[in-house]
Amino acid sequence: TGNDKLDNSKRINYGVTIENNNINLQLSQNYEFTNNSNFHKEIGNDNHLSDLLGNATYADSNINLNLGYNFRYDPEHNLLNRQEMSLKHETDFGTYNINYLDEKSETNNIITSQNETISYTYESKKINKFSKIGFNGHYDLQENDNKEYSVAYSYFDECFGINIDFNRKFYSDNDLKPQDTLT
């Protein structure tokens, strides 16, 4: 819980990892034996059993594809607190990334906050040896609203380089104009 505190807990950490050339699966959890431990109270573990953490990845270098999924499950409240899925694919034209994130916070069996978003990115391969284009964005699925996006162009040769980036961020209040930045 910190380098200036004495840990007074007795716990067991356990997990399993399964992997081969393309797949990696991991699960981990801990069990706290001590009733008045400073460790499990500070990490939000009110009972003895911690959250179950999981991670699964699939990577295929033949087609330049990476898929990922990770989660955090709270067995005390029977709640999937966090899950994230990702896709990365590299093609002849560029690299695509898509990430989905779902997070929940609960207090007294009531979900007090929730975040559900999709982030996306594209970066091209070099065009005519020196140029690249790219874009990225962030979309809020709870509010069904685009929060921000960027478009970029870059040129770099042996002795000269330039980036042109346009970024637009939106406010929660729709009466306000979005913030635009050109760099």
Side-chain angles (χ1 to χ4, degrees):
T1 59
N3 59 6
D4 59 343
K5 294 184 178 181
L6 182 61
D7 187 357
N8 68 344
S9 70
K10 293 170 187 67
R11 65 185 171 275
I12 184 169
N13 300 313
Y14 48 91
V16 62
T17 299
I18 301 169
E19 61 186 350
N20 67 16
N21 292 338
N22 299 91
I23 297 173
N24 185 315
L25 304 171
Q26 297 177 353
L27 290 173
S28 63
Q29 194 172 36
N30 72 53
Y31 182 85
E32 177 67 46
F33 293 102
T34 310
N35 287 327
N36 60 352
S37 160
N38 62 359
F39 174 77
H40 73 288
K41 296 294 183 194
E42 290 194 23
I43 64 168
N45 183 6
D46 296 327
N47 289 326
H48 295 279
L49 197 57
S50 76
D51 289 354
L52 176 66
L53 305 177
N55 183 23
T57 56
Y58 173 80
D60 189 338
S61 59
N62 294 327
I63 58 173
N64 296 319
L65 177 69
N66 289 300
L67 298 170
Y69 177 74
N70 64 62
F71 68 90
R72 182 180 196 108
Y73 175 75
D74 183 349
E76 179 183 351
H77 297 107
N78 194 24
L79 177 69
L80 190 59
N81 284 335
R82 184 180 202 285
Q83 64 178 335
E84 182 177 10
M85 291 177 260
S86 62
L87 164 75
K88 180 179 180 182
H89 185 50
E90 189 174 327
T91 68
D92 293 338
F93 303 106
T95 303
Y96 302 87
N97 289 297
I98 299 173
N99 293 308
Y100 168 79
L101 175 64
D102 179 21
E103 292 179 304
K104 296 175 185 71
S105 295
E106 182 179 291
T107 304
N108 296 327
N109 294 327
I110 298 171
I111 295 177
T112 55
S113 68
Q114 187 168 0
N115 179 24
E116 190 175 14
T117 59
I118 291 180
S119 300
Y120 51 90
T121 304
Y122 170 75
E123 184 177 327
S124 75
K125 298 273 185 167
K126 289 188 178 180
I127 303 167
N128 294 332
K129 292 180 17 178
F130 304 114
S131 296
K132 281 186 171 183
I133 59 171
F135 65 86
N136 64 60
H138 189 77
Y139 189 83
D140 188 328
L141 293 167
Q142 290 292 312
E143 297 180 17
N144 200 23
D145 197 13
N146 205 25
K147 292 297 180 189
E148 68 178 276
Y149 66 85
S150 299
V151 179
Y153 169 78
S154 66
Y155 176 91
F156 283 92
D157 63 21
E158 298 85 23
C159 56
F160 177 75
I162 188 169
N163 276 359
I164 299 172
D165 299 313
F166 174 77
N167 188 8
R168 174 168 277 184
K169 292 185 180 181
F170 297 92
Y171 293 101
S172 298
D173 185 355
N174 290 334
D175 294 336
L176 297 173
K177 287 184 177 182
Q179 176 188 9
D180 293 337
T181 307
L182 182 64
T183 309

